[in-house]
Amino acid sequence: TAAAPRPWRLFGAMCLLRLPRITQPLEKEEEEMAALMGQIELEKSLYSDHEIRKLEEEQQLRRRKESAYDDDDEAPGKTVIMAQDLEDKWEQKLLQFEAAPRITDADKNNNRTSLNRKLDSNLMLLVKQKIGNQELWLLPQVEWQPGETLRSTAERAMAMFLGDHVQAKILGNAPYGIYKYKFPRAIRTEDNVGAKVFFFKAFLQSTDLSQAELKEDYLWVTKDELGDYLKSEYLKKVNRFLLD
Amino acid sequence: AESMSPKSVPPHALCSFSFLSSWLPQTVPFRGSHWQTSLLAFRASLPMRAQPKKKKKVDVKREQAQKDRMKKKIKKLEKAAPEMIPIEDFITPLKYSDSNRVRSLPPLSFEETERRVLLMKKWCLFKQKQDKAEKKAIQTLLEAQQEALKELRLESEELYQAAIRRDEGLFPFERDGPNYTPPLPGYDPPEGKCVDITKVYTQ
């Protein structure tokens, strides 16, 4: 069957997400609730072995101080480790450990090209592409070629901008969103009315992209920062399929 | 004429032989009967010699009866319900029912209880709003996807069919959740061995 020439050109775009690496900070209500839950748990609990040991040792100390006991009779030459000493030792050990900071250097410099920024939220890849005669910031897209599925078009788009060694988990065969626009009247013809861009979502799984050679300008931005770069209509459609 | 001397004991006297051995003080091994050819082959020869005296039917019947009894016992055991595997979390060990374990805390003041109740209500509202927002986001996600599929169908049927197809490689999908701090580069964790002492029950 001869297919009628369709007026829309098809593009496949890939929305590559770097998932968060650390937990988001708790809201005020969440923190209050967490504190309350801790208190209730403490009230409903029984004494543990360590606490009983601590209480008994405190009692012994008090008795010794009051009655001016002679220690040497009780424990000749034996060094008794008190529960309190153990707790102090553990506290010291904890203070010695230094965890990696949650706010990285890239955060402080606001270096939007690095992946180490904003570790608690999703980051999306944006590239600067030439559409018509304009240079626009877009999700990486590439024109569909007959003979391939749209998903492979999106994969090709990703490979074109990030190289072959990128590992990403594409979430399913179906597109997540669509943006269609008509070409400006000057370029519009009978056969070429406009373009439809189908968006696919993928999770970035390879941790370092040092091997990727990006020829164009690229950025990793969060959902809130998308507004700085994308056009309003495009942004509206993209925001629909992005969960924060 | 039978005598009770050790040398001439009648051959079929099994029980009388044991009686003989019990009251004889000497420890010298002797032949139980003149049917015995050597001193060392004591145990083997006696029953063999005695077998032709027993009837075969009684033996077979006894053995069969024994087997049936064993089978009945096995069936009874199998019919009995399998023992439940105890859930160790639900059984409080006895050492935690001591009275000295009970925590002694001052009772809650009226303001504290009020504060707690109000906080619970605020939390309820907060969670409700959060849940509604999540559901709304999922709804818009689904709508966007349906719209995209509709447009795709208008474009080409085969692409649409390819898009609807189930993605086999997607599940099972595993991912490590986010931690509180990012991983420390070049961190050398202390050496240690973890020994698993969980009890495993088989039914």
Side-chain angles (χ1 to χ4, degrees):
Chain A
T1 53
R6 286 179 291 265
W8 298 93
R9 284 168 68 183
L10 299 179
F11 287 82
M14 177 62 86
C15 177
L16 195 59
L17 290 168
R18 186 226 61 184
L19 294 168
R21 288 213 198 117
I22 55 177
T23 51
Q24 288 180 336
L26 295 173
E27 311 260 335
K28 191 169 73 84
E29 285 99 342
E30 285 179 328
E31 276 191 33
E32 286 176 20
M33 202 58 186
L36 177 63
M37 286 290 126
Q39 265 184 320
I40 292 179
E41 199 181 306
L42 189 72
E43 283 160 20
K44 287 193 176 173
S45 67
L46 301 171
Y47 283 132
S48 66
D49 293 337
H50 178 85
E51 287 195 311
I52 287 199
R53 181 178 157 179
K54 213 165 120 178
L55 286 172
E56 281 173 358
E57 283 169 7
E58 276 174 23
Q59 267 190 333
Q60 272 183 356
L61 268 181
R62 254 182 284 130
R63 261 190 277 129
R64 275 193 202 157
K65 276 187 200 161
E66 284 166 15
S67 57
Y69 231 59
D70 201 4
D71 285 345
D72 291 329
D73 286 349
E74 282 269 321
K78 246 196 322 184
T79 47
V80 177
I81 306 178
M82 309 266 283
Q84 190 64 44
D85 299 336
L86 277 174
E87 278 191 13
D88 292 334
K89 204 167 72 168
W90 296 333
E91 188 79 35
Q92 287 296 314
K93 210 166 167 191
L94 179 66
L95 290 171
Q96 273 172 8
F97 173 73
E98 227 186 81
R102 281 163 64 95
I103 305 177
T104 57
D105 295 332
D107 268 330
K108 292 181 200 152
N109 301 338
N110 203 11
N111 176 17
R112 294 199 170 179
T113 53
S114 93
L115 267 179
N116 279 335
R117 196 173 74 94
K118 297 261 181 195
L119 291 171
D120 61 349
S121 42
N122 290 334
L123 285 184
M124 268 152 282
L125 180 66
L126 281 183
V127 269
K128 207 165 200 179
Q129 282 182 295
K130 194 158 179 187
I131 305 283
N133 49 3
Q134 279 180 315
E135 289 255 342
L136 296 171
W137 281 108
L138 301 169
L139 298 175
Q141 70 187 42
V142 130
E143 182 149 11
W144 172 75
Q145 276 157 14
E148 63 175 4
T149 59
L150 274 172
R151 179 183 161 153
S152 28
T153 320
E155 284 172 0
R156 198 157 54 89
M158 195 170 68
M160 196 163 89
F161 288 102
L162 289 175
D164 288 328
H165 299 283
V166 178
Q167 281 162 14
K169 186 97 185 183
I170 305 186
L171 305 173
N173 287 325
Y176 274 76
I178 179 170
Y179 174 62
K180 64 181 185 186
Y181 62 98
K182 291 194 174 158
F183 295 137
R185 289 198 182 268
I187 319 178
R188 219 182 288 183
T189 59
E190 269 286 324
D191 291 340
N192 226 353
V193 171
K196 287 186 181 176
V197 186
F198 290 95
F199 299 103
F200 286 82
K201 241 184 178 179
F203 290 153
L204 185 69
Q205 277 176 326
S206 50
T207 40
D208 68 338
L209 294 175
S210 46
Q211 285 174 332
E213 309 131 9
L214 283 108
K215 299 156 252 175
E216 322 285 331
D217 294 330
Y218 68 98
L219 284 181
W220 292 97
V221 288
T222 59
K223 191 179 172 192
D224 308 321
E225 293 159 8
L226 277 177
D228 300 338
Y229 300 95
L230 298 178
K231 298 250 167 115
S232 61
E233 282 296 319
Y234 193 79
L235 177 69
K236 254 199 274 181
K237 294 287 176 160
V238 168
N239 268 339
R240 287 183 79 198
F241 68 81
L242 288 178
L243 295 171
D244 197 18
Chain B
E2 291 176 3
S3 64
M4 294 301 271
S5 68
K7 288 283 159 96
S8 60
V9 172
H12 60 269
L14 274 163
C15 23
S16 57
F17 173 70
S18 54
F19 171 66
L20 200 69
S21 59
S22 58
W23 59 258
L24 274 178
Q26 64 212 50
T27 50
V28 172
F30 53 90
R31 284 195 298 166
S33 63
H34 60 273
W35 293 110
Q36 231 179 305
T37 42
S38 83
L39 292 166
L40 294 169
F42 172 58
R43 291 249 181 250
S45 56
L46 251 177
M48 266 178 59
R49 284 286 171 183
Q51 215 172 28
K53 300 286 175 173
K54 277 192 193 160
K55 287 182 210 168
K56 280 189 185 167
K57 281 183 194 169
V58 177
D59 248 354
V60 170
K61 267 193 190 170
R62 252 195 224 174
E63 277 176 24
Q64 270 209 328
Q66 265 185 346
K67 274 188 200 169
D68 287 332
R69 267 179 265 148
M70 290 297 285
K71 276 185 192 168
K72 270 192 183 172
K73 278 185 194 169
I74 291 172
K75 270 188 194 170
K76 263 194 183 173
L77 285 172
E78 276 176 5
K79 270 189 198 171
E83 219 177 77
M84 296 281 140
I85 299 176
I87 305 175
E88 289 186 6
D89 283 341
F90 291 173
I91 309 167
T92 41
L94 285 170
K95 74 171 180 171
Y96 294 129
S97 38
D98 270 345
S99 61
N100 72 332
R101 291 265 183 179
V102 175
R103 211 173 273 270
S104 59
L105 292 163
L108 294 176
S109 65
F110 174 70
E111 288 95 10
E112 181 64 23
T113 41
E114 285 291 306
R115 180 195 78 106
R116 283 188 185 186
V117 166
L118 288 172
L119 183 60
M120 295 278 214
K121 291 191 179 179
K122 264 199 279 184
W123 176 249
C124 192
L125 197 67
F126 172 78
K127 268 297 184 190
Q128 189 193 41
K129 284 188 187 156
Q130 201 184 51
D131 189 48
K132 274 199 180 150
E134 269 180 30
K135 288 196 168 127
K136 196 168 142 189
I138 294 176
Q139 197 65 28
T140 35
L141 197 80
L142 278 174
E143 277 167 13
Q145 192 167 49
Q146 287 303 317
E147 193 190 314
L149 284 172
K150 215 168 56 176
E151 295 280 337
L152 185 57
R153 194 160 207 184
L154 286 176
E155 278 301 304
S156 96
E157 190 62 33
E158 57 168 288
L159 281 179
Y160 176 73
Q161 291 300 327
I164 296 190
R165 217 170 295 148
R166 194 179 280 196
D167 185 9
E168 302 297 332
L170 186 59
F171 295 114
F173 178 50
E174 282 178 10
R175 186 183 109 79
D176 289 331
N179 303 311
Y180 185 66
T181 51
L184 203 58
Y187 176 65
D188 188 23
E191 290 262 328
K193 201 167 71 144
C194 192
V195 180
D196 199 6
I197 51 168
T198 43
K199 290 191 196 161
V200 174
Y201 295 94
T202 45
Q203 261 193 334

